[in-house]
Amino acid sequence: MKKVCLLFIFITTYLFTPAQNYQKTDLGLKTTINALDIEVQFFNNDIVRILKSPTGSTVNKKSFSVIKTPAKVDLQIKQSGNSIKVSGNKLNLSIDLKSGQIRFFSKTDKLLLAEKEPGASFVRSKDALEKSLVVSQSFQLTPDEAIYGLGQHQKGSMNQRNQRLTLQQANMQIDIPYFYSTNGYGLFWDNTSSTVFEDKPAGTSFESAAGNCVDYYFLRSDDANKGLAAWRDLTGQAPMYPRWLFGYWQSRERYKGQTELIDVIKKYRALNVPLDGIVQDWQYWGSGNQVWNSTEFGNPLFPRPKQMIDNVHGLNAHIIISVWPSFGVKTKIFNEFKQNGMLLDLVTWPITPDVQVYDAFNPRARDIYWRYMNQNIFSLGMDGWWLDATEPEQMNPKSTGSENKTFLGSFSSVCNAFPLQTTLGVYEHQRKVTSDKRVFILTRSAFAGQQRNATTTWSGDIQGRWDVLHNQISNGLNMSISGIPYWNTDIGGFFTGKHYPLGVKDPAYQELYVRWLQFAAFCPMFRSHGTDTPREIYQFGQKGYWAFDVIDKFINLRYRLLPYIYSTSWEVTSKASTFMRPLVMDFSNDKKVYDINNEYLFGKSILVCPVTDSMYIVEKNKTTQTSFEKVKTWKVYLPSGSDWFDFWTGKKLAGGQNFQREAPIDIMPLYVKAGSILPMGSLRQYSNERDDSQLELRIYPGADAEFTLYEDENDNYNYENGVYAVINFKWDNASQNLTIEDRKGCFPGMVKNRTFNVVKIDQKNGLGIQSVLKPAKAIKYNGTKISVKL
């Protein structure tokens, strides 16, 4: 009887326990469900990659964006009935063996994200050069989660829920197929072809025009800060910029000769208005499309380019120059590309058969590109690059792509990675040439991971209008969440002629420009540029005229904040932080901030509330005039979870409230979070004019505070080898005690003995841009720890 019972148990166990339907791998597992091969790869305890492809297809995909090497993770894999559960140290997931649906959970089994069932789709594409597929994957988000990122799309939306976005590189549109969710995760859709992202109640999906597999990364995170750190860990860290990059930059379309360019710097110096950089736009190579972008100074108005650059440096300024990815048929670089089959047949700018784009996906083409830039420009002493139209510009994108073959396949299958590859070539080659000058690249487009190429993205050739100014705020914030910490705009908008034909002579445009410049002073790069009308400060009048004075005030404020800004740039590099911080990054418990698209933190202390509408323009006798008689107000929201100090007055306010703040033309509402230490430098004409041996420390009480002051040689890569110094400041709010810790590290030229003029902010000494006259304490510091009570 016992033998019969044992036999029955064995038979029933064999019949009703499914066989193991997966293969364990070093990084996770592989399985096949419904004619789809599915692979799960854990990169660490927080990041997992999912690959899906039709059974029998060969997938050997190398990511353009992901550079992290996966590390073996201790996983528990168990199959129970029709489900496989994979458990890691911080992240669990399940796979339904009937439908193939994958769901992601926290360690405590909170559902973070679920694929839809069925979620993946593969349809034969129309790509003429490759046997690729239209690939898509659908997910089901929870109703109340907010998502941020996906690049830049000019819609003014902060939260990207209920959006349909075409993710394809274009002037003013930037494709980064990554978003962060307030549900505690990030999602990267790793595909470089034109992609449609759509979120609606029925589901959230990515659909790409070309690919051979579904390939996405799930990044678990406790909050947006850790989410950004995980994203940078996967795709690369942002290197340091030179300190002079964070000063004020003047540009226009275009300076027509080297004398004009030098005279601009001389005028700023004569006016005692700070300036660190100037930009040379196109046509220094000469006129005519056939010599387009030769990288040579063929224009007779630039007869001695090295002398021009030397003169810029002699005036204690720096210069960057425009280089495009397209070339005229009579240039030497075009002919070398053509001889080697390295040109793409795209309809680009300028619209002519005489200009073609090079194949940035070919490493040999990138070598040639840099060789011409180096021998014709960089060797003369040029400080940095303005790589324009790196999408690349396509004047008829629907008719190009699949018929163009790049080094890595059809253009349509890799098109969105073009800016990543062309900036990569410049960054890597300049690093090989010298370590004495940090790479700086200003560029119009970006893809996931591009922060590692030392690029700053600007928002494109936008119109000068109030609504466009408003939309730039959410553009910059979503770019930050997308992993791109350095971003800026053309102050005043690139185009102005349509709405302000009188340009700088029109008071209405002056008001727009001044408000735009106030916002730009709190962007990572502070740069004025545009066409139709000049933008130099002296074009707006003289000292004593309101527009001139406001511009001058905010440029000087930017320079006073340089110690704070440069220290923040170190946090970007060393701690995967970012400059422009959506309020959800620091106040995620306040759901009112989820959709706020017109405020942000600059660094971790300063709340910026740009004014994005006209207040002081009236029409009198058919002319546009200003009217400053009545001070208007601007609506401000202070996030809950902190008290706030008005930067200009020192008035303390409680968080969690909306109110109207007076906004005269020379004031943009700014607030500093209680529990902040704000270092302020002295006024100067350029970033490195004087050292910071005298530094003002503003203490904003109400909570404990900490700040790390970072300093180095300002422009080389010695910091990568530990050649820098940091000083940590701590404020104990209960004891009203400030502690300055021992200085750590050193570098050549370091200030060893200095004075910190400390002031505790209240309504009696808001200070604003003014320096403190009677500090609470003047602390002599020689690098040794000291504590004082205020």
Side-chain angles (χ1 to χ4, degrees):
M1 184 67 176
K2 185 181 288 186
K3 289 182 180 180
V4 173
C5 290
L6 289 172
L7 181 62
F8 175 77
I9 293 171
F10 172 77
I11 292 171
T12 54
T13 302
Y14 179 79
L15 290 175
F16 296 104
T17 301
Q20 180 173 301
N21 290 321
Y22 65 89
Q23 173 190 348
K24 192 171 183 179
T25 66
D26 289 342
L27 301 178
L29 64 84
K30 294 180 178 179
T31 186
T32 299
I33 303 170
N34 298 334
L36 282 185
D37 292 337
I38 300 174
E39 183 171 2
V40 176
Q41 300 176 352
F42 273 75
F43 272 53
N44 60 20
N45 287 316
D46 294 309
I47 302 173
V48 60
R49 180 191 190 190
I50 304 298
L51 285 160
K52 299 181 182 181
S53 59
T55 299
S57 59
T58 301
V59 176
N60 186 21
K61 182 172 177 289
K62 180 174 172 57
S63 177
F64 285 94
S65 302
V66 174
I67 61 172
K68 182 179 178 62
T69 301
K72 191 171 183 179
V73 177
D74 184 20
L75 299 174
Q76 300 292 323
I77 304 176
K78 294 182 180 180
Q79 179 177 335
S80 177
N82 290 313
S83 179
I84 301 172
K85 183 176 183 180
V86 184
S87 301
N89 292 330
K90 297 181 179 180
L91 171 66
N92 301 333
L93 65 82
S94 67
I95 305 174
D96 189 301
L97 290 171
K98 285 187 174 181
S99 65
Q101 180 197 36
I102 300 177
R103 297 190 297 167
F104 301 89
F105 301 86
S106 69
K107 191 58 185 173
T108 58
D109 280 336
K110 172 194 171 185
L111 179 63
L112 301 176
L113 176 68
E115 293 182 346
K116 289 207 70 177
E117 184 181 345
S121 171
F122 299 85
V123 179
R124 181 63 61 194
S125 77
K126 297 178 181 179
D127 194 321
L129 292 179
E130 294 185 359
K131 296 179 180 179
S132 60
L133 303 167
V134 176
V135 296
S136 66
Q137 176 68 54
S138 299
F139 304 89
Q140 190 66 60
L141 277 59
T142 59
D144 59 347
E145 66 184 286
I147 61 174
Y148 308 95
L150 297 170
Q152 171 186 286
H153 299 283
Q154 303 291 345
K155 290 190 172 185
S157 300
M158 190 64 243
N159 183 356
Q160 302 287 29
R161 295 302 302 269
N162 302 305
Q163 298 282 326
R164 179 183 170 88
L165 302 172
T166 298
L167 306 183
Q168 182 172 340
Q169 310 293 15
N171 187 354
M172 300 178 286
Q173 308 293 326
I174 296 174
D175 161 37
I176 300 177
Y178 166 85
F179 67 77
Y180 168 77
S181 166
T182 55
N183 212 32
Y185 67 88
L187 192 71
F188 173 43
W189 176 256
D190 196 356
N191 188 290
T192 53
S193 69
S194 179
T195 297
V196 173
F197 166 84
E198 186 169 21
D199 176 73
K200 52 188 178 182
T204 304
S205 63
F206 290 93
E207 181 180 277
S208 294
N212 59 8
C213 64
V214 164
D215 185 0
Y216 70 87
Y217 293 76
F218 179 90
L219 299 80
R220 187 209 69 85
S221 59
D222 295 322
D223 56 43
N225 294 285
K226 292 180 180 177
L228 184 57
W231 180 223
R232 294 263 185 81
D233 181 39
L234 188 66
T235 60
Q237 302 299 335
M240 288 285 288
Y241 282 144
R243 196 170 191 259
W244 45 258
L245 186 277
F246 298 104
Y248 176 68
W249 284 76
Q250 187 62 61
S251 179
R252 74 159 78 160
E253 193 278 305
R254 60 186 164 85
Y255 297 119
K256 296 181 180 178
Q258 64 186 62
T259 300
E260 181 183 32
L261 182 142
I262 294 298
D263 283 347
V264 171
I265 305 174
K266 288 180 177 178
K267 288 178 181 177
Y268 271 84
R269 295 288 179 251
L271 290 167
N272 291 316
V273 176
L275 177 76
D276 259 276
I278 195 159
V279 185
Q280 179 56 51
D281 203 345
W282 60 2
Q283 294 191 29
Y284 59 89
W285 51 74
S287 61
N289 292 333
Q290 292 185 336
V291 296
W292 177 266
N293 194 39
S294 68
T295 74
E296 300 179 59
F297 286 88
N299 187 327
L301 294 177
F302 293 87
R304 294 175 295 278
K306 187 179 187 310
Q307 182 186 81
M308 176 187 72
I309 295 169
D310 290 344
N311 288 344
V312 170
H313 294 161
L315 290 165
N316 298 299
H318 293 82
I319 180 172
I320 67 174
I321 196 165
S322 171
V323 181
W324 290 57
S326 54
F327 303 90
V329 296
K330 288 190 176 181
T331 61
K332 296 174 185 176
I333 188 171
F334 175 94
N335 287 317
E336 189 164 349
F337 282 141
K338 185 176 181 179
Q339 290 168 11
N340 289 279
M342 298 173 177
L343 292 168
L344 303 176
D345 187 20
L346 303 174
V347 181
T348 189
W349 178 264
I351 306 173
T352 169
D354 290 338
V355 174
Q356 284 184 263
V357 174
Y358 89 111
D359 181 4
F361 299 96
N362 187 326
R364 284 188 56 229
R366 296 196 297 270
D367 293 344
I368 295 170
Y369 187 55
W370 169 255
R371 175 157 47 83
Y372 279 85
M373 291 172 65
N374 184 29
Q375 69 187 19
N376 294 328
I377 301 175
F378 190 64
S379 63
L380 303 179
M382 187 61 62
D383 297 305
W385 308 103
W386 177 12
L387 301 187
D388 207 341
T390 49
E391 300 84 17
E393 184 108 61
Q394 296 177 71
M395 307 311 293
N396 190 9
K398 292 183 179 180
S399 67
T400 60
S402 62
E403 59 273 14
N404 267 284
K405 187 171 180 59
T406 75
F407 183 78
L408 295 177
S410 70
F411 182 75
S412 64
S413 67
V414 296
C415 57
N416 282 335
F418 189 96
L420 178 66
Q421 294 303 99
T422 193
T423 58
L424 171 69
V426 175
Y427 175 74
E428 289 186 338
H429 282 97
Q430 185 176 322
R431 287 300 307 263
K432 291 175 182 177
V433 169
T434 180
S435 292
D436 294 332
K437 182 178 288 189
R438 295 176 190 168
V439 182
F440 171 68
I441 300 170
L442 177 65
T443 185
R444 201 172 72 181
S445 193
F447 192 65
Q450 194 165 302
Q451 70 279 352
R452 63 181 184 255
N453 294 345
T455 61
T456 289
T457 310
W458 97 93
S459 64
D461 298 343
I462 50 179
Q463 292 285 336
R465 297 198 315 259
W466 287 103
D467 61 319
V468 176
L469 168 59
H470 175 272
N471 291 348
Q472 300 317 296
I473 302 170
S474 56
N475 282 341
L477 297 177
N478 276 306
M479 285 289 284
S480 285
I481 289 289
S482 300
I484 307 298
Y486 292 104
W487 174 94
N488 71 126
T489 70
D490 292 344
I491 298 175
F494 180 72
F495 294 108
T496 61
K498 181 178 179 180
H499 301 280
Y500 302 98
L502 298 179
V504 291
K505 304 303 180 184
D506 185 346
Y509 181 69
Q510 293 174 2
E511 184 189 27
L512 171 68
Y513 184 89
V514 160
R515 291 302 195 187
W516 205 313
L517 182 133
Q518 291 171 350
F519 159 62
F522 292 85
C523 290
M525 186 182 186
F526 187 22
R527 179 187 61 91
S528 173
H529 178 70
T531 191
D532 298 331
T533 191
R535 321 290 173 92
E536 295 80 14
I537 187 172
Y538 47 83
Q539 307 286 355
F540 290 84
Q542 299 177 338
K543 286 188 177 183
Y545 182 68
W546 67 270
F548 184 107
D549 291 348
V550 177
I551 294 169
D552 182 51
K553 175 180 179 178
F554 274 82
I555 291 177
N556 278 288
L557 176 57
R558 172 76 172 203
Y559 278 81
R560 291 221 61 204
L561 286 168
L562 277 179
Y564 175 79
I565 292 170
Y566 198 54
S567 297
T568 299
S569 76
W570 172 243
E571 282 212 343
V572 169
T573 295
S574 64
K575 296 182 179 179
S577 189
T578 197
F579 270 95
M580 297 180 69
R581 302 172 64 82
L583 298 183
V584 72
M585 289 190 73
D586 299 279
F587 304 97
S588 58
N589 291 329
D590 183 355
K591 291 192 174 182
K592 291 181 181 178
V593 307
Y594 280 16
D595 293 307
I596 289 180
N597 62 0
N598 63 346
E599 297 180 8
Y600 61 98
L601 285 183
F602 185 65
K604 294 182 178 178
S605 297
I606 303 174
L607 179 66
V608 183
C609 311
V611 175
T612 58
D613 206 353
S614 177
M615 290 180 170
Y616 297 109
I617 296 298
V618 295
E619 296 291 332
K620 289 185 179 180
N621 300 322
K622 297 183 179 180
T623 62
T624 301
Q625 301 178 24
T626 54
S627 177
F628 299 123
E629 297 172 0
K630 182 179 180 181
V631 175
K632 304 294 182 64
T633 62
W634 189 254
K635 184 179 179 181
V636 170
Y637 178 73
L638 299 179
S640 63
S642 176
D643 290 335
W644 297 88
F645 288 85
D646 189 307
F647 174 79
W648 304 103
T649 67
K651 182 179 180 180
K652 188 176 182 180
L653 301 104
Q657 62 168 318
N658 285 298
F659 64 97
Q660 296 290 136
R661 204 277 187 207
E662 287 190 345
I665 192 64
D666 68 332
I667 294 292
M668 176 177 67
L670 296 171
Y671 295 86
V672 182
K673 184 163 64 74
S676 292
I677 300 171
L678 192 63
M680 302 281 285
S682 58
L683 294 173
R684 58 193 65 200
Q685 292 302 294
Y686 52 92
S687 60
N688 298 331
E689 182 183 23
R690 53 177 61 95
D691 61 34
D692 285 322
S693 56
Q694 294 275 336
L695 205 63
E696 184 178 308
L697 289 182
R698 298 186 182 182
I699 310 298
Y700 293 84
D704 292 343
E706 188 169 351
F707 184 85
T708 299
L709 180 70
Y710 172 86
E711 296 173 312
D712 63 15
E713 296 172 275
N714 298 326
D715 188 4
N716 59 43
Y717 286 99
N718 290 340
Y719 76 87
E720 294 181 340
N721 298 315
V723 183
Y724 61 87
V726 293
I727 302 172
N728 200 35
F729 303 89
K730 292 183 179 179
W731 168 254
D732 185 291
N733 198 65
S735 64
Q736 299 286 285
N737 228 50
L738 175 67
T739 299
I740 307 176
E741 301 283 358
D742 290 336
R743 180 174 54 229
K744 296 180 180 179
C746 64
F747 59 91
M750 181 182 72
V751 175
K752 295 182 179 179
N753 298 289
R754 68 203 311 170
T755 300
F756 292 116
N757 294 312
V758 184
V759 59
K760 187 167 61 173
I761 297 298
D762 56 31
Q763 197 160 347
K764 296 179 181 178
N765 56 8
L767 293 178
I769 192 175
Q770 301 301 317
S771 298
V772 59
L773 298 177
K774 294 182 178 180
K777 296 283 183 180
I779 302 173
K780 304 294 183 180
Y781 179 75
N782 62 8
T784 304
K785 181 178 178 179
I786 186 172
S787 293
V788 295
K789 186 177 180 65
L790 299 184

